[in-house]
């Protein structure tokens, strides 16, 4: 978000110890789309994340729902990039898992508060170096373009076009395509 927009933002958890409030999630998604936002990050999720609304929102090209305060139904282009963060123990449906790229972070020591980081304030670092990061992304895309825009052959049934292009950009630079499904992933 900081690289794209210049600032970070997050929404409250979708899933809490009480579960998912589907009606509230529908209202939230509609309000975010109506405001023109492109990103939806829900932080600190916990418990059980079983949500037909979320599963549908992740993959549908349009989002339709009734506007609050009336009976008018609206359909909007679904331009959201959706991300979630959670601490240990979040359980989610197989359907959602198949529509997502899951990144598991692991810290083996007893006290995560004793960790030290090369860049303790990552958000500020990104803000200060945003132009260089954008230039690096542009260089990756330019390299891909100059190589004839080869598409990745790695499958991702939920988002095949995304994988073909993003995977192609990364593979053209000698990197691995994004990790999906049951691929083995390094942990941090």
């Amino acid at each position: 978000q900081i690289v794209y927009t210049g600032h970070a933002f997050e929404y409250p958890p979708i899933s809490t110890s009480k579960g998912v409030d589907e009606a509230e999630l529908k209202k939230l998604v509609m309000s975010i789309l109506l405001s023109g936002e492109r990103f939806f990050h829900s932080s600190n999720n916990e418990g059980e994340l079983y949500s037909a609304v979320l599963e549908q929102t992740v993959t549908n090209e349009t989002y339709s729902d009734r506007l609050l305060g009336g009976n008018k139904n609206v359909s909007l282009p679904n331009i959201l990039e959706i991300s979630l963060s959670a601490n240990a123990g979040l359980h989610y449906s197989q359907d959602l898992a198949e529509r997502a790229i899951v990144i598991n972070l692991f810290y083996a020591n007893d006290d995560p508060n004793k960790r030290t980081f090369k860049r303790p304030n990552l958000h500020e670092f990104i803000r200060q170096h945003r132009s260089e990061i954008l230039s690096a992304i542009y260089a990756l895309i330019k390299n891909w373009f100059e190589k004839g825009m080869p598409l990745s052959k790695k499958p991702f049934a939920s988002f095949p076009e995304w994988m073909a292009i993003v995977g192609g950009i990364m593979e053209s630079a000698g990197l691995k395509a994004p990790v999906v499904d049951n691929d083995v992933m390094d942990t941090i």
Side-chain angles (χ1 to χ4, degrees), residues 12-16 19-21 25 28 40 42-43 45 49 51 54 84:
I14 294 171
S15 179
T16 66
V20 177
D21 185 335
L25 180 56
L28 179 60
F40 173 51
S42 170
S43 61
N45 287 277
L49 180 55
S51 171
L54 180 61
L84 307 171

Side-chain angles (χ1 to χ4, degrees), residues 60-174:
N60 279 4
E61 292 182 17
T62 59
Y63 185 83
S64 299
D65 198 10
R66 182 177 56 85
L67 285 177
L68 286 177
N71 291 324
K72 184 177 179 182
N73 213 31
V74 176
S75 290
L76 300 168
N78 184 1
I79 58 171
L80 290 178
E81 178 182 305
I82 299 172
S83 61
L84 307 171
S85 62
N87 290 321
L90 180 67
H91 302 279
Y92 45 89
S93 69
Q94 183 63 34
D95 214 20
L96 185 59
E98 291 172 1
R99 300 172 192 221
I101 294 177
V102 178
I103 301 170
N104 292 310
L105 303 177
F106 176 72
Y107 184 69
N109 295 333
D110 292 336
D111 187 356
N113 289 317
K114 291 184 180 177
R115 294 176 294 179
T116 58
F117 298 96
K118 181 178 179 181
R119 294 182 180 90
N121 188 340
L122 184 59
H123 287 193
E124 186 58 33
F125 175 85
I126 293 170
R127 274 190 279 278
Q128 290 175 0
H129 297 276
R130 185 169 174 244
S131 62
E132 295 118 286
I133 295 167
L134 287 169
S135 293
I137 293 168
Y138 172 75
L140 290 169
I141 295 169
K142 185 175 184 233
N143 171 64
W144 174 69
F145 181 79
E146 289 171 350
K147 290 183 175 178
M149 299 187 295
L151 300 176
S152 176
K153 303 266 189 269
K154 187 166 185 176
F156 187 17
S158 294
F159 301 100
E161 297 89 2
W162 178 87
M163 178 58 80
I165 293 170
V166 172
I169 291 168
M170 294 175 71
E171 291 168 355
S172 291

